[in-house]
Amino acid sequence: TEIDWKAYMEEVEGFANGTLDYTQLKGGTGPLVYPAGFVYIFLGLYYATDRGTDIRLAQYLFAGLYLLNLLLVFRIYCRTNKVPPYVFFFMCCASYRIHSIFVLRLFNDPVAMAILFLAINLFLEEHWSWGCLLFSLAVSVKMNILLFGPGLLFLLLQRFGLLGCIPKLCICALLQVVLGLPFLLVNPVGYLTRSFDLGRQFQFKWTVNWRFLPEEVFQNRAFHVILLLAHLAGLGLFALHRWHRSKESILALLKDPAERKHASPPLTIVFVLFSSNFLGVCCSRSLHYQFYVWYFHTLPYLLWCTPTTKLAHMPKVLLLGVIELCWNTYPSTVCSSLSLHICHGLVLLQLWYGTAPPPALHTPPPSRRPAAISKKAR
């Protein structure tokens, strides 16, 4: 199970030997396709594990990362106070696939997600600048973190307005420049095209979510465009009707918060970020087995953030179990991929209808009849 770990070590070994041309950094599974933050973090692991040969030590380090990740996730859930305690058992003990991604396969996805959850903790504490810095660091490890980006942009606009949002975005951009600077100075085009390649083709044999499609449809560019449009439409609908709760137009987010006519009700930071990411996962061109960690720890919140009766708990637990079963089916099948989409669709429907704003209360017009005067008043 060390194929990816060996490839990671081969990729950063070139950097350790002085190679700064990103197009020349390669491993057993192909060229390096992650941003510069990945190189620095796994270079540290490269030296810590005797040039990548001490895999047992690497697994111990990732076990520690797994526990730290759980601690950060639990802290977020404690702040939201939405999920019943027994669900944490399933998050800790019931996912063979997540344990494999962290401790057996040593993927870079868990590293990016742990940094992301630390950033969300900072957002919850109102440390927005530090949170943006760590969010950008997570993006520099793996680009899937950008799926949280639309939600974060909405939160920054809601919290600071357009002008106040710009410095936070500059923090994100500046860190990317600083981390990539050694490679940008040598071959800027090579670095940007390799580390931020949004048009990369995925192999059909590894897909978990689109197995029921013919391979020619899966590889068709028109299919990718449809998924992108569906993603943008979903983000637009949620931004307009689920994230935005003020009586003003959504364009009022561009104003300074002090200049807005109506104060926005308190936003659930976690709901905006988690739903933004989930929409991206649902519309992904392909989900590989290690991508499960992109949203596994957010699923309990997405399922329990809406009002729940006692009888509705079991269907939600069942939904978690079916999703887990789909991700543990290897290789994926027509049935498992269809079941995964059905589960995703049910979660989306619950998020849409369960978080609908309450209908406006119409106060009855005042009666023209004079109010009766009590005897005491007389």
Side-chain angles (χ1 to χ4, degrees), residues 157-187:
L157 288 172
Q158 195 274 338
R159 181 72 173 76
F160 302 103
L162 180 61
L163 293 179
C165 172
I166 292 175
K168 312 299 179 187
L169 298 178
C170 289
I171 291 173
C172 297
L174 184 60
L175 182 68
Q176 296 298 324
V177 174
V178 170
L179 292 175
L181 191 59
F183 309 104
L184 289 169
L185 292 174
V186 174
N187 185 355

PDB file of all heavy atoms in Angstrom, residues 157-187:
ATOM      1  N   LEU A 157     -17.374  38.577   2.565  1.00  0.00           N
ATOM      2  CA  LEU A 157     -18.178  39.698   2.102  1.00  0.00           C
ATOM      3  C   LEU A 157     -19.241  40.059   3.134  1.00  0.00           C
ATOM      4  O   LEU A 157     -19.497  41.237   3.396  1.00  0.00           O
ATOM      5  CB  LEU A 157     -18.838  39.365   0.765  1.00  0.00           C
ATOM      6  CG  LEU A 157     -17.920  39.317  -0.453  1.00  0.00           C
ATOM      7  CD1 LEU A 157     -18.666  38.776  -1.662  1.00  0.00           C
ATOM      8  CD2 LEU A 157     -17.347  40.698  -0.761  1.00  0.00           C
ATOM      9  N   GLN A 158     -19.854  39.047   3.726  1.00  0.00           N
ATOM     10  CA  GLN A 158     -20.897  39.312   4.719  1.00  0.00           C
ATOM     11  C   GLN A 158     -20.319  39.974   5.964  1.00  0.00           C
ATOM     12  O   GLN A 158     -20.939  40.836   6.568  1.00  0.00           O
ATOM     13  CB  GLN A 158     -21.592  37.989   5.080  1.00  0.00           C
ATOM     14  CG  GLN A 158     -22.910  38.136   5.812  1.00  0.00           C
ATOM     15  CD  GLN A 158     -22.741  38.267   7.317  1.00  0.00           C
ATOM     16  OE1 GLN A 158     -21.714  37.856   7.862  1.00  0.00           O
ATOM     17  NE2 GLN A 158     -23.729  38.829   7.975  1.00  0.00           N
ATOM     18  N   ARG A 159     -19.109  39.593   6.321  1.00  0.00           N
ATOM     19  CA  ARG A 159     -18.491  40.074   7.553  1.00  0.00           C
ATOM     20  C   ARG A 159     -17.803  41.423   7.363  1.00  0.00           C
ATOM     21  O   ARG A 159     -17.834  42.270   8.251  1.00  0.00           O
ATOM     22  CB  ARG A 159     -17.474  39.034   8.036  1.00  0.00           C
ATOM     23  CG  ARG A 159     -16.754  39.370   9.335  1.00  0.00           C
ATOM     24  CD  ARG A 159     -17.665  39.238  10.527  1.00  0.00           C
ATOM     25  NE  ARG A 159     -16.942  39.388  11.776  1.00  0.00           N
ATOM     26  CZ  ARG A 159     -16.521  40.533  12.273  1.00  0.00           C
ATOM     27  NH1 ARG A 159     -16.739  41.652  11.608  1.00  0.00           N
ATOM     28  NH2 ARG A 159     -15.895  40.583  13.437  1.00  0.00           N
ATOM     29  N   PHE A 160     -17.174  41.648   6.193  1.00  0.00           N
ATOM     30  CA  PHE A 160     -16.329  42.834   6.020  1.00  0.00           C
ATOM     31  C   PHE A 160     -16.737  43.732   4.854  1.00  0.00           C
ATOM     32  O   PHE A 160     -16.216  44.837   4.747  1.00  0.00           O
ATOM     33  CB  PHE A 160     -14.866  42.414   5.815  1.00  0.00           C
ATOM     34  CG  PHE A 160     -14.304  41.590   6.937  1.00  0.00           C
ATOM     35  CD1 PHE A 160     -14.154  40.221   6.800  1.00  0.00           C
ATOM     36  CD2 PHE A 160     -13.934  42.175   8.131  1.00  0.00           C
ATOM     37  CE1 PHE A 160     -13.638  39.449   7.839  1.00  0.00           C
ATOM     38  CE2 PHE A 160     -13.418  41.426   9.167  1.00  0.00           C
ATOM     39  CZ  PHE A 160     -13.272  40.047   9.023  1.00  0.00           C
ATOM     40  N   GLY A 161     -17.617  43.269   3.967  1.00  0.00           N
ATOM     41  CA  GLY A 161     -17.902  44.048   2.772  1.00  0.00           C
ATOM     42  C   GLY A 161     -16.791  43.891   1.744  1.00  0.00           C
ATOM     43  O   GLY A 161     -15.773  43.238   1.999  1.00  0.00           O
ATOM     44  N   LEU A 162     -16.959  44.501   0.575  1.00  0.00           N
ATOM     45  CA  LEU A 162     -15.993  44.323  -0.512  1.00  0.00           C
ATOM     46  C   LEU A 162     -14.617  44.872  -0.163  1.00  0.00           C
ATOM     47  O   LEU A 162     -13.602  44.190  -0.309  1.00  0.00           O
ATOM     48  CB  LEU A 162     -16.521  44.977  -1.787  1.00  0.00           C
ATOM     49  CG  LEU A 162     -15.604  44.872  -3.012  1.00  0.00           C
ATOM     50  CD1 LEU A 162     -15.370  43.411  -3.373  1.00  0.00           C
ATOM     51  CD2 LEU A 162     -16.187  45.639  -4.191  1.00  0.00           C
ATOM     52  N   LEU A 163     -14.550  46.101   0.313  1.00  0.00           N
ATOM     53  CA  LEU A 163     -13.258  46.724   0.609  1.00  0.00           C
ATOM     54  C   LEU A 163     -12.557  46.019   1.771  1.00  0.00           C
ATOM     55  O   LEU A 163     -11.334  45.842   1.757  1.00  0.00           O
ATOM     56  CB  LEU A 163     -13.445  48.209   0.919  1.00  0.00           C
ATOM     57  CG  LEU A 163     -13.911  49.077  -0.259  1.00  0.00           C
ATOM     58  CD1 LEU A 163     -14.080  50.528   0.182  1.00  0.00           C
ATOM     59  CD2 LEU A 163     -12.905  48.985  -1.409  1.00  0.00           C
ATOM     60  N   GLY A 164     -13.309  45.634   2.787  1.00  0.00           N
ATOM     61  CA  GLY A 164     -12.697  44.935   3.916  1.00  0.00           C
ATOM     62  C   GLY A 164     -12.290  43.522   3.588  1.00  0.00           C
ATOM     63  O   GLY A 164     -11.427  42.940   4.262  1.00  0.00           O
ATOM     64  N   CYS A 165     -12.907  42.960   2.540  1.00  0.00           N
ATOM     65  CA  CYS A 165     -12.600  41.585   2.124  1.00  0.00           C
ATOM     66  C   CYS A 165     -11.276  41.503   1.364  1.00  0.00           C
ATOM     67  O   CYS A 165     -10.582  40.478   1.421  1.00  0.00           O
ATOM     68  CB  CYS A 165     -13.756  41.085   1.257  1.00  0.00           C
ATOM     69  SG  CYS A 165     -13.507  39.503   0.458  1.00  0.00           S
ATOM     70  N   ILE A 166     -10.917  42.576   0.667  1.00  0.00           N
ATOM     71  CA  ILE A 166      -9.726  42.549  -0.191  1.00  0.00           C
ATOM     72  C   ILE A 166      -8.445  42.221   0.575  1.00  0.00           C
ATOM     73  O   ILE A 166      -7.639  41.397   0.113  1.00  0.00           O
ATOM     74  CB  ILE A 166      -9.602  43.879  -0.962  1.00  0.00           C
ATOM     75  CG1 ILE A 166     -10.742  43.990  -1.976  1.00  0.00           C
ATOM     76  CG2 ILE A 166      -8.256  43.992  -1.658  1.00  0.00           C
ATOM     77  CD1 ILE A 166     -10.800  45.311  -2.704  1.00  0.00           C
ATOM     78  N   PRO A 167      -8.178  42.816   1.757  1.00  0.00           N
ATOM     79  CA  PRO A 167      -6.948  42.451   2.478  1.00  0.00           C
ATOM     80  C   PRO A 167      -6.886  40.965   2.847  1.00  0.00           C
ATOM     81  O   PRO A 167      -5.795  40.369   2.818  1.00  0.00           O
ATOM     82  CB  PRO A 167      -7.001  43.326   3.732  1.00  0.00           C
ATOM     83  CG  PRO A 167      -7.863  44.479   3.359  1.00  0.00           C
ATOM     84  CD  PRO A 167      -8.878  43.934   2.425  1.00  0.00           C
ATOM     85  N   LYS A 168      -8.031  40.355   3.167  1.00  0.00           N
ATOM     86  CA  LYS A 168      -8.045  38.930   3.508  1.00  0.00           C
ATOM     87  C   LYS A 168      -7.696  38.080   2.288  1.00  0.00           C
ATOM     88  O   LYS A 168      -6.938  37.107   2.392  1.00  0.00           O
ATOM     89  CB  LYS A 168      -9.415  38.519   4.052  1.00  0.00           C
ATOM     90  CG  LYS A 168      -9.982  39.436   5.123  1.00  0.00           C
ATOM     91  CD  LYS A 168      -9.108  39.517   6.349  1.00  0.00           C
ATOM     92  CE  LYS A 168      -9.713  40.460   7.376  1.00  0.00           C
ATOM     93  NZ  LYS A 168      -8.836  40.712   8.523  1.00  0.00           N
ATOM     94  N   LEU A 169      -8.236  38.472   1.138  1.00  0.00           N
ATOM     95  CA  LEU A 169      -7.910  37.746  -0.091  1.00  0.00           C
ATOM     96  C   LEU A 169      -6.443  37.933  -0.470  1.00  0.00           C
ATOM     97  O   LEU A 169      -5.813  37.011  -1.013  1.00  0.00           O
ATOM     98  CB  LEU A 169      -8.820  38.221  -1.229  1.00  0.00           C
ATOM     99  CG  LEU A 169     -10.322  37.981  -1.046  1.00  0.00           C
ATOM    100  CD1 LEU A 169     -11.094  38.540  -2.229  1.00  0.00           C
ATOM    101  CD2 LEU A 169     -10.620  36.503  -0.861  1.00  0.00           C
ATOM    102  N   CYS A 170      -5.897  39.116  -0.174  1.00  0.00           N
ATOM    103  CA  CYS A 170      -4.477  39.362  -0.448  1.00  0.00           C
ATOM    104  C   CYS A 170      -3.590  38.456   0.399  1.00  0.00           C
ATOM    105  O   CYS A 170      -2.524  38.020  -0.049  1.00  0.00           O
ATOM    106  CB  CYS A 170      -4.131  40.825  -0.204  1.00  0.00           C
ATOM    107  SG  CYS A 170      -4.810  41.948  -1.436  1.00  0.00           S
ATOM    108  N   ILE A 171      -4.020  38.177   1.627  1.00  0.00           N
ATOM    109  CA  ILE A 171      -3.264  37.262   2.484  1.00  0.00           C
ATOM    110  C   ILE A 171      -3.189  35.885   1.823  1.00  0.00           C
ATOM    111  O   ILE A 171      -2.127  35.264   1.760  1.00  0.00           O
ATOM    112  CB  ILE A 171      -3.921  37.160   3.875  1.00  0.00           C
ATOM    113  CG1 ILE A 171      -3.752  38.475   4.636  1.00  0.00           C
ATOM    114  CG2 ILE A 171      -3.331  35.999   4.685  1.00  0.00           C
ATOM    115  CD1 ILE A 171      -4.506  38.519   5.951  1.00  0.00           C
ATOM    116  N   CYS A 172      -4.336  35.421   1.305  1.00  0.00           N
ATOM    117  CA  CYS A 172      -4.375  34.111   0.638  1.00  0.00           C
ATOM    118  C   CYS A 172      -3.455  34.097  -0.580  1.00  0.00           C
ATOM    119  O   CYS A 172      -2.682  33.149  -0.782  1.00  0.00           O
ATOM    120  CB  CYS A 172      -5.806  33.783   0.218  1.00  0.00           C
ATOM    121  SG  CYS A 172      -6.988  33.606   1.572  1.00  0.00           S
ATOM    122  N   ALA A 173      -3.522  35.150  -1.395  1.00  0.00           N
ATOM    123  CA  ALA A 173      -2.725  35.195  -2.620  1.00  0.00           C
ATOM    124  C   ALA A 173      -1.237  35.331  -2.322  1.00  0.00           C
ATOM    125  O   ALA A 173      -0.397  34.683  -2.963  1.00  0.00           O
ATOM    126  CB  ALA A 173      -3.201  36.342  -3.502  1.00  0.00           C
ATOM    127  N   LEU A 174      -0.901  36.164  -1.334  1.00  0.00           N
ATOM    128  CA  LEU A 174       0.505  36.412  -1.023  1.00  0.00           C
ATOM    129  C   LEU A 174       1.206  35.148  -0.545  1.00  0.00           C
ATOM    130  O   LEU A 174       2.353  34.886  -0.919  1.00  0.00           O
ATOM    131  CB  LEU A 174       0.614  37.508   0.034  1.00  0.00           C
ATOM    132  CG  LEU A 174       2.032  37.950   0.411  1.00  0.00           C
ATOM    133  CD1 LEU A 174       2.755  38.504  -0.815  1.00  0.00           C
ATOM    134  CD2 LEU A 174       2.002  38.983   1.529  1.00  0.00           C
ATOM    135  N   LEU A 175       0.520  34.347   0.263  1.00  0.00           N
ATOM    136  CA  LEU A 175       1.140  33.108   0.736  1.00  0.00           C
ATOM    137  C   LEU A 175       1.444  32.166  -0.427  1.00  0.00           C
ATOM    138  O   LEU A 175       2.503  31.517  -0.460  1.00  0.00           O
ATOM    139  CB  LEU A 175       0.235  32.415   1.755  1.00  0.00           C
ATOM    140  CG  LEU A 175       0.817  31.128   2.343  1.00  0.00           C
ATOM    141  CD1 LEU A 175       2.027  31.435   3.219  1.00  0.00           C
ATOM    142  CD2 LEU A 175      -0.229  30.362   3.151  1.00  0.00           C
ATOM    143  N   GLN A 176       0.523  32.101  -1.402  1.00  0.00           N
ATOM    144  CA  GLN A 176       0.768  31.240  -2.568  1.00  0.00           C
ATOM    145  C   GLN A 176       2.010  31.704  -3.332  1.00  0.00           C
ATOM    146  O   GLN A 176       2.802  30.882  -3.801  1.00  0.00           O
ATOM    147  CB  GLN A 176      -0.456  31.251  -3.490  1.00  0.00           C
ATOM    148  CG  GLN A 176      -1.711  30.657  -2.888  1.00  0.00           C
ATOM    149  CD  GLN A 176      -1.559  29.196  -2.531  1.00  0.00           C
ATOM    150  OE1 GLN A 176      -0.889  28.431  -3.228  1.00  0.00           O
ATOM    151  NE2 GLN A 176      -2.181  28.798  -1.431  1.00  0.00           N
ATOM    152  N   VAL A 177       2.180  33.019  -3.444  1.00  0.00           N
ATOM    153  CA  VAL A 177       3.346  33.556  -4.152  1.00  0.00           C
ATOM    154  C   VAL A 177       4.625  33.242  -3.384  1.00  0.00           C
ATOM    155  O   VAL A 177       5.632  32.809  -3.974  1.00  0.00           O
ATOM    156  CB  VAL A 177       3.199  35.077  -4.360  1.00  0.00           C
ATOM    157  CG1 VAL A 177       4.477  35.668  -4.954  1.00  0.00           C
ATOM    158  CG2 VAL A 177       2.010  35.375  -5.269  1.00  0.00           C
ATOM    159  N   VAL A 178       4.598  33.427  -2.063  1.00  0.00           N
ATOM    160  CA  VAL A 178       5.787  33.185  -1.243  1.00  0.00           C
ATOM    161  C   VAL A 178       6.193  31.712  -1.302  1.00  0.00           C
ATOM    162  O   VAL A 178       7.383  31.383  -1.475  1.00  0.00           O
ATOM    163  CB  VAL A 178       5.536  33.626   0.216  1.00  0.00           C
ATOM    164  CG1 VAL A 178       6.663  33.165   1.123  1.00  0.00           C
ATOM    165  CG2 VAL A 178       5.376  35.138   0.292  1.00  0.00           C
ATOM    166  N   LEU A 179       5.225  30.818  -1.178  1.00  0.00           N
ATOM    167  CA  LEU A 179       5.544  29.389  -1.196  1.00  0.00           C
ATOM    168  C   LEU A 179       6.058  28.935  -2.562  1.00  0.00           C
ATOM    169  O   LEU A 179       6.960  28.104  -2.665  1.00  0.00           O
ATOM    170  CB  LEU A 179       4.303  28.572  -0.816  1.00  0.00           C
ATOM    171  CG  LEU A 179       3.822  28.704   0.632  1.00  0.00           C
ATOM    172  CD1 LEU A 179       2.508  27.943   0.843  1.00  0.00           C
ATOM    173  CD2 LEU A 179       4.873  28.182   1.618  1.00  0.00           C
ATOM    174  N   GLY A 180       5.479  29.489  -3.604  1.00  0.00           N
ATOM    175  CA  GLY A 180       5.884  29.064  -4.948  1.00  0.00           C
ATOM    176  C   GLY A 180       7.027  29.843  -5.537  1.00  0.00           C
ATOM    177  O   GLY A 180       7.471  29.540  -6.661  1.00  0.00           O
ATOM    178  N   LEU A 181       7.560  30.850  -4.809  1.00  0.00           N
ATOM    179  CA  LEU A 181       8.564  31.745  -5.362  1.00  0.00           C
ATOM    180  C   LEU A 181       9.802  31.030  -5.909  1.00  0.00           C
ATOM    181  O   LEU A 181      10.251  31.352  -7.021  1.00  0.00           O
ATOM    182  CB  LEU A 181       8.978  32.783  -4.313  1.00  0.00           C
ATOM    183  CG  LEU A 181       9.824  33.953  -4.820  1.00  0.00           C
ATOM    184  CD1 LEU A 181       9.065  34.721  -5.908  1.00  0.00           C
ATOM    185  CD2 LEU A 181      10.194  34.881  -3.666  1.00  0.00           C
ATOM    186  N   PRO A 182      10.400  30.048  -5.203  1.00  0.00           N
ATOM    187  CA  PRO A 182      11.586  29.386  -5.775  1.00  0.00           C
ATOM    188  C   PRO A 182      11.318  28.753  -7.137  1.00  0.00           C
ATOM    189  O   PRO A 182      12.195  28.744  -8.014  1.00  0.00           O
ATOM    190  CB  PRO A 182      11.923  28.313  -4.726  1.00  0.00           C
ATOM    191  CG  PRO A 182      11.315  28.820  -3.459  1.00  0.00           C
ATOM    192  CD  PRO A 182      10.069  29.531  -3.874  1.00  0.00           C
ATOM    193  N   PHE A 183      10.118  28.232  -7.332  1.00  0.00           N
ATOM    194  CA  PHE A 183       9.773  27.592  -8.607  1.00  0.00           C
ATOM    195  C   PHE A 183       9.322  28.619  -9.640  1.00  0.00           C
ATOM    196  O   PHE A 183       9.583  28.456 -10.831  1.00  0.00           O
ATOM    197  CB  PHE A 183       8.667  26.556  -8.371  1.00  0.00           C
ATOM    198  CG  PHE A 183       8.970  25.595  -7.262  1.00  0.00           C
ATOM    199  CD1 PHE A 183       8.352  25.726  -6.020  1.00  0.00           C
ATOM    200  CD2 PHE A 183       9.879  24.572  -7.431  1.00  0.00           C
ATOM    201  CE1 PHE A 183       8.629  24.850  -4.984  1.00  0.00           C
ATOM    202  CE2 PHE A 183      10.170  23.683  -6.400  1.00  0.00           C
ATOM    203  CZ  PHE A 183       9.546  23.825  -5.167  1.00  0.00           C
ATOM    204  N   LEU A 184       8.670  29.689  -9.181  1.00  0.00           N
ATOM    205  CA  LEU A 184       8.217  30.736 -10.101  1.00  0.00           C
ATOM    206  C   LEU A 184       9.392  31.469 -10.731  1.00  0.00           C
ATOM    207  O   LEU A 184       9.326  31.907 -11.881  1.00  0.00           O
ATOM    208  CB  LEU A 184       7.319  31.732  -9.354  1.00  0.00           C
ATOM    209  CG  LEU A 184       5.933  31.232  -8.945  1.00  0.00           C
ATOM    210  CD1 LEU A 184       5.268  32.211  -7.989  1.00  0.00           C
ATOM    211  CD2 LEU A 184       5.058  31.013 -10.174  1.00  0.00           C
ATOM    212  N   LEU A 185      10.484  31.608  -9.982  1.00  0.00           N
ATOM    213  CA  LEU A 185      11.655  32.298 -10.509  1.00  0.00           C
ATOM    214  C   LEU A 185      12.352  31.490 -11.597  1.00  0.00           C
ATOM    215  O   LEU A 185      13.012  32.055 -12.471  1.00  0.00           O
ATOM    216  CB  LEU A 185      12.644  32.601  -9.369  1.00  0.00           C
ATOM    217  CG  LEU A 185      12.169  33.629  -8.336  1.00  0.00           C
ATOM    218  CD1 LEU A 185      13.172  33.733  -7.195  1.00  0.00           C
ATOM    219  CD2 LEU A 185      11.957  34.997  -8.990  1.00  0.00           C
ATOM    220  N   VAL A 186      12.224  30.164 -11.549  1.00  0.00           N
ATOM    221  CA  VAL A 186      12.910  29.306 -12.521  1.00  0.00           C
ATOM    222  C   VAL A 186      12.034  29.023 -13.733  1.00  0.00           C
ATOM    223  O   VAL A 186      12.456  29.197 -14.887  1.00  0.00           O
ATOM    224  CB  VAL A 186      13.336  27.978 -11.854  1.00  0.00           C
ATOM    225  CG1 VAL A 186      13.913  27.008 -12.889  1.00  0.00           C
ATOM    226  CG2 VAL A 186      14.351  28.246 -10.756  1.00  0.00           C
ATOM    227  N   ASN A 187      10.790  28.598 -13.501  1.00  0.00           N
ATOM    228  CA  ASN A 187       9.882  28.253 -14.605  1.00  0.00           C
ATOM    229  C   ASN A 187       8.453  28.560 -14.163  1.00  0.00           C
ATOM    230  O   ASN A 187       7.727  27.659 -13.728  1.00  0.00           O
ATOM    231  CB  ASN A 187      10.034  26.777 -14.993  1.00  0.00           C
ATOM    232  CG  ASN A 187       9.199  26.405 -16.217  1.00  0.00           C
ATOM    233  OD1 ASN A 187       8.438  27.208 -16.730  1.00  0.00           O
ATOM    234  ND2 ASN A 187       9.349  25.159 -16.668  1.00  0.00           N
TER     235      ASN A 187
END
